[in-house]
Amino acid sequence: MKILIVGGVAGGASVAARLRRMDEQAEIILFERGEYISYANCGLPYYIGGTISDRDNLFIQTVDGFSKRFKIDIRVLQEVICINRENKSITIQNLITNKEYTESYDKLILSTGSEPVKPPIKGIDSRKIFTLRNVPDTDKIKNFLITHKPQKAVVIGGGFIGLEMVENLHDAGLEVQLVEKADQVMAPIDFSMAAIVHQQLRQKGVELYLKEGVTSFLEEENGVRIVLESGRELISDMVIFSIGVRPDIKIVKDAGLELGTTGGIKVNSYMQTSDNNIYALGDAVEVLNPIITKQMLIPLAGPANKQARIVADNILEDNKYIYPGTIGTSIAKVFDLTVAATGLSSKVLNRECIEHISSFTHGSSHAGYYPGASQLSVKVNFSPLTGKLLGAQVVGKEGADKRIELFSEVIKKGGTIYDLMDLEHAYAPPYSSAKDPVNMAGFVADNILKGKMKIAQWRDIEKISLAKTTLLDVRTSEECSEGYIKGAMNIPLDELRSRIKEIPKEKDVLIYCAVGLRGYIASRILAQYGFSNVLNLSGGYITYATAIAECSL
């Protein structure tokens, strides 16, 4: 069998290696228009910032090494420009000689990846404006840092790559400004969780411009002038443009292969395109999100590698294996924070008109009495009818990674908040608490669903009428002196029973504490003393203060 692969890196290189391990006799040719076929794409920002000091460490395999180990014909600097489906061949242009030639195939695999979005903004082609997608991009940015020694940088776009570039340019000694069109960074998480990231950025000296688009760039002798939609102008020595990526599908469209509703390549559950002899994988394909049973673009390295294995096996074993889709589990380092998400955010659930409840908890990365514990902020989204877990987000300095993976496994298996309660975790004081933050998220959600606690969200505070609702702060007076919600009555939890007559029974009561735990205890006390409508502020004052402070900027 003769198998041609278009594109290397995570998808193409992985499928090539798997094919060879499964079939020593297959003829395998891999075409890559770039110079490199297997490198650590996700590590590129960290080389720019100096965390990865040796450029060679970015390369997982060289062309020669990969070719010798797996007996694969690898042709770099050769671009596939046409797919000829009728005669099962492709046309390739040698980018060194500019000559064109054809190769026939029995099976064709498309791993064309994605390309940075570059809208037609005036001045965007300036030599001082960079995108980051591959090794040549990385070399350009690194060389600019070395030769021009810039002092200021503006990053356009607050997604994962944009934030990683903010941190790494900061680590390289630059003054960094971040411009983001939306009202928050990191689209996979909700505003209230992103507000924690905004605080971190500002604490590190990053100037943050939210709800700001770019209208034009003007290259000047000493830098770039960036004109924002508000009319504000920023002056920078360099710009990183990172507003997102889109599937690289030119040859796919030209070949008449079917595209999906998202603009990616449409594939079936075997990763076959509309042509049975052509498979596709990676950033260019749309895949099933099993939570909402809809197709989505999820350009992540993990899914691409899993798809590569399935494609190889299906080509050699007549479509025995199904790709189940992905729920988009992602994680990023933002200075001292780890930010992780899995499943669906409230934004997406609202867009899809899916009813859900959101619950916030703030736990510790490990036992509080063991030195070094830090706060972990957790948000879960779940069905009010069945308790099915729909999404989770975790932000903290330590331990966010292992928690998001627990949430991810529950969601992947269609589990519920009750499964969170039952999860068995490895416990020792340096690593967790007897009740892990994942368990706690389940316990709190269980209390909500069983009616043991009614909750209010931070956005509800501005809607309440103090004439009808008593806002009750059950923190200590010392805590209140550092910040409180306007109009709140302060009765510390430990004084609540003795002072309960101070709270009018004819009003609703909305309770808050620091993180929600004392508020829950207070709500149970009041409910049993005859108060009919008692709510606890989900996530407590910490969630409210962080989110509302961001809204007021």
Side-chain angles (χ1 to χ4, degrees):
M1 183 182 293
K2 184 177 182 180
I3 305 168
L4 306 185
I5 304 169
V6 182
V9 200
S14 294
V15 74
R18 177 68 174 176
L19 285 166
R20 178 55 72 222
R21 289 194 296 269
M22 297 287 288
D23 186 344
E24 185 66 18
Q25 305 306 318
E27 182 182 359
I28 305 169
I29 308 175
L30 188 154
F31 301 89
E32 169 57 49
R33 66 185 170 196
E35 188 177 349
Y36 310 100
I37 56 133
S38 185
Y39 58 88
N41 210 327
C42 298
L44 301 180
Y46 300 98
Y47 168 65
I48 291 169
T51 301
I52 298 173
S53 58
D54 189 342
R55 181 177 179 275
D56 289 343
N57 289 340
L58 295 172
F59 299 99
I60 300 167
Q61 270 281 16
T62 64
V63 172
D64 286 344
F66 196 88
S67 180
K68 288 177 181 177
R69 176 164 296 179
F70 294 105
K71 198 181 72 172
I72 292 171
D73 182 354
I74 299 174
R75 304 180 189 179
V76 295
L77 297 174
Q78 301 196 37
E79 182 174 7
V80 176
I81 58 175
C82 181
I83 301 171
N84 312 296
R85 292 168 55 193
E86 289 186 3
N87 59 10
K88 294 177 66 175
S89 70
I90 60 174
T91 302
I92 308 103
Q93 181 178 31
N94 186 316
L95 298 180
I96 300 174
T97 65
N98 284 326
K99 292 183 178 180
E100 296 181 6
Y101 65 99
T102 62
E103 283 284 354
S104 63
Y105 61 83
D106 295 311
K107 299 292 181 182
L108 176 65
I109 302 171
L110 302 176
S111 179
T112 52
S114 55
E115 57 185 357
V117 174
K118 288 188 70 175
I121 297 173
K122 181 181 178 182
I124 198 171
D125 293 325
S126 166
R127 59 189 177 87
K128 296 178 182 178
I129 299 176
F130 304 88
T131 58
L132 179 61
R133 194 64 189 158
N134 52 37
V135 174
D137 292 341
T138 306
D139 291 338
K140 288 177 184 177
I141 297 171
K142 190 75 170 180
N143 291 337
F144 189 87
L145 293 175
I146 293 170
T147 57
H148 291 80
K149 295 181 173 51
Q151 301 298 306
K152 291 185 177 182
V154 170
V155 177
I156 312 294
F160 283 78
I161 295 175
L163 287 176
E164 288 169 352
M165 284 305 303
V166 165
E167 178 179 353
N168 281 282
L169 289 171
H170 180 277
D171 288 349
L174 279 71
E175 179 184 326
V176 185
Q177 297 169 307
L178 175 61
V179 177
E180 168 56 50
K181 178 73 171 175
D183 64 352
Q184 67 166 84
V185 300
M186 302 195 81
I189 64 176
D190 288 311
F191 179 87
S192 50
M193 301 296 277
I196 305 171
V197 182
H198 298 167
Q199 283 188 343
Q200 173 77 175
L201 292 167
R202 292 190 176 100
Q203 288 169 6
K204 294 297 182 179
V206 176
E207 292 184 31
L208 190 55
Y209 299 94
L210 297 172
K211 295 185 281 189
E212 282 278 23
V214 177
T215 60
S216 66
F217 298 101
L218 177 62
E219 183 175 334
E220 299 178 342
E221 183 178 351
N222 296 321
V224 180
R225 183 182 300 272
I226 304 109
V227 181
L228 305 182
E229 289 176 348
S230 65
R232 186 194 303 267
E233 294 186 356
L234 306 177
I235 305 295
S236 179
D237 300 318
M238 64 183 300
V239 174
I240 305 293
F241 201 86
S242 180
I243 66 168
V245 296
R246 60 189 169 204
D248 189 346
I249 54 170
K250 184 181 184 306
I251 61 170
V252 178
K253 289 175 66 176
D254 292 346
L257 292 171
E258 190 173 350
L259 299 179
T261 56
T262 64
I265 305 171
K266 184 174 183 178
V267 293
N268 62 19
S269 57
Y270 304 113
M271 304 305 295
Q272 275 177 311
T273 68
S274 53
D275 184 320
N276 289 341
N277 293 308
I278 302 176
Y279 291 72
L281 58 96
D283 291 3
V285 304
E286 62 172 28
V287 294
L288 177 71
N289 185 314
I291 304 172
I292 54 175
T293 61
K294 281 191 173 183
Q295 301 296 319
M296 299 180 72
L297 290 172
I298 303 179
L300 296 169
N305 276 278
K306 294 178 180 68
Q307 292 161 14
R309 183 183 181 93
I310 287 174
V311 166
D313 290 356
N314 280 337
I315 286 175
L316 298 175
E317 298 181 29
D318 296 324
N319 289 348
K320 288 184 179 179
Y321 306 97
I322 289 175
Y323 181 67
T326 178
I327 60 173
T329 305
S330 56
I331 192 166
K333 178 180 178 295
V334 185
F335 291 104
D336 300 331
L337 291 179
T338 298
V339 185
T342 188
L344 300 179
S345 65
S346 288
K347 294 193 299 288
V348 175
L349 290 167
N350 289 335
R351 187 184 72 210
E352 297 293 328
C353 299
I354 297 175
E355 189 178 2
H356 66 284
I357 297 173
S358 297
S359 173
F360 296 88
T361 52
H362 301 278
S364 293
S365 56
H366 57 253
Y369 58 82
Y370 187 88
S374 59
Q375 180 178 287
L376 271 178
S377 297
V378 176
K379 179 181 182 182
V380 292
N381 295 321
F382 54 94
S383 166
L385 299 177
T386 63
K388 182 178 179 180
L389 188 62
L390 303 172
Q393 299 158 35
V394 186
V395 179
K397 293 184 178 180
E398 175 191 336
D401 52 346
K402 70 176 181 179
R403 270 69 181 211
I404 206 66
E405 288 165 357
L406 290 171
F407 285 123
S408 173
E409 283 305 299
V410 172
I411 294 172
K412 283 278 285 184
K413 295 187 181 302
T416 69
I417 57 97
Y418 307 113
D419 294 309
L420 301 180
M421 298 165 59
D422 293 336
L423 275 174
E424 186 172 330
H425 66 283
Y427 163 59
Y431 304 106
S432 184
S433 302
K435 295 178 182 177
D436 189 79
V438 175
N439 298 137
M440 289 302 300
F443 295 148
V444 171
D446 175 61
N447 285 336
I448 295 169
L449 288 184
K450 289 182 177 175
K452 295 178 181 177
M453 177 177 67
K454 297 178 182 178
I455 60 169
Q457 301 295 344
W458 66 271
R459 293 185 187 273
D460 297 331
I461 296 296
E462 65 179 12
K463 304 172 188 174
I464 66 169
S465 166
L466 292 178
K468 298 179 180 179
T469 304
T470 298
L471 191 55
L472 179 61
D473 185 336
V474 295
R475 299 175 300 159
T476 64
S477 57
E478 290 79 12
E479 288 175 281
C480 290
S481 67
E482 296 178 1
Y484 60 92
I485 301 175
K486 186 177 179 181
M489 170 192 295
N490 178 222
I491 302 178
L493 175 63
D494 294 340
E495 301 175 17
L496 183 60
R497 291 182 180 88
S498 64
R499 297 176 59 184
I500 205 161
K501 291 183 179 179
E502 298 177 28
I503 307 170
K505 274 197 172 182
E506 68 274 11
K507 290 185 178 183
D508 296 339
V509 183
L510 199 164
I511 305 171
Y512 72 90
C513 63
V515 298
L517 176 57
R518 284 174 289 174
Y520 167 60
I521 297 170
S523 73
R524 295 301 302 157
I525 292 172
L526 292 186
Q528 293 173 79
Y529 272 82
F531 288 81
S532 59
N533 192 27
V534 182
L535 297 93
N536 184 26
L537 182 61
S538 186
Y541 184 75
I542 286 178
T543 294
Y544 169 82
T546 303
I548 207 70
E550 194 61 39
C551 286
S552 64
L553 290 174

